Amino acid sequence: MRLTAKPEPIPVTIEAFSIELADVKGASATLNFLWDKMRVPVKLTTDDVEQVSKQLDAVVSAMTPLNPRTAYQAAPFTMTTTRT
């Protein structure tokens, strides 16, 4: 993959090249590449939340019995993706 990103100055010196994941939200995050006095942010997004939500809505709309394990796994997913 190739991408274009704009480096940004930071007020501290980072001795060793580092990669951090920041601003993590339901369907997005920022991948930061840090070195010396620079940061290169790369915005990451996904539509996984939308896709899974549609699947869950389809199961509920179909009125079919829901496997308790599926419901157990869906609950924390829904809680973590609906927070703002």
Side-chain angles (χ1 to χ4, degrees):
M1 165 179 22
R2 284 183 189 245
L3 56 97
T4 303
K6 184 178 178 182
E8 301 173 348
I10 56 175
V12 296
T13 301
I14 306 296
E15 297 273 336
F17 175 75
S18 302
I19 300 172
E20 79 172 2
L21 198 56
D23 302 323
V24 178
K25 296 185 177 99
S28 67
T30 302
L31 185 64
N32 289 317
F33 298 94
L34 305 154
W35 187 44
D36 195 28
K37 292 186 178 265
M38 298 301 284
R39 172 178 85 112
V40 180
V42 177
K43 185 76 172 174
L44 305 174
T45 59
T46 180
D47 65 348
D48 289 352
V49 173
E50 183 180 327
Q51 288 181 16
V52 172
S53 294
K54 285 180 183 178
Q55 292 171 357
L56 292 172
D57 289 343
V59 169
V60 171
S61 297
M63 303 284 289
T64 56
L66 183 61
N67 179 329
R69 183 179 175 98
T70 303
Y72 182 76
Q73 292 171 334
F77 171 82
T78 302
M79 287 187 66
T80 58
T81 57
T82 56
R83 292 182 191 162
T84 54

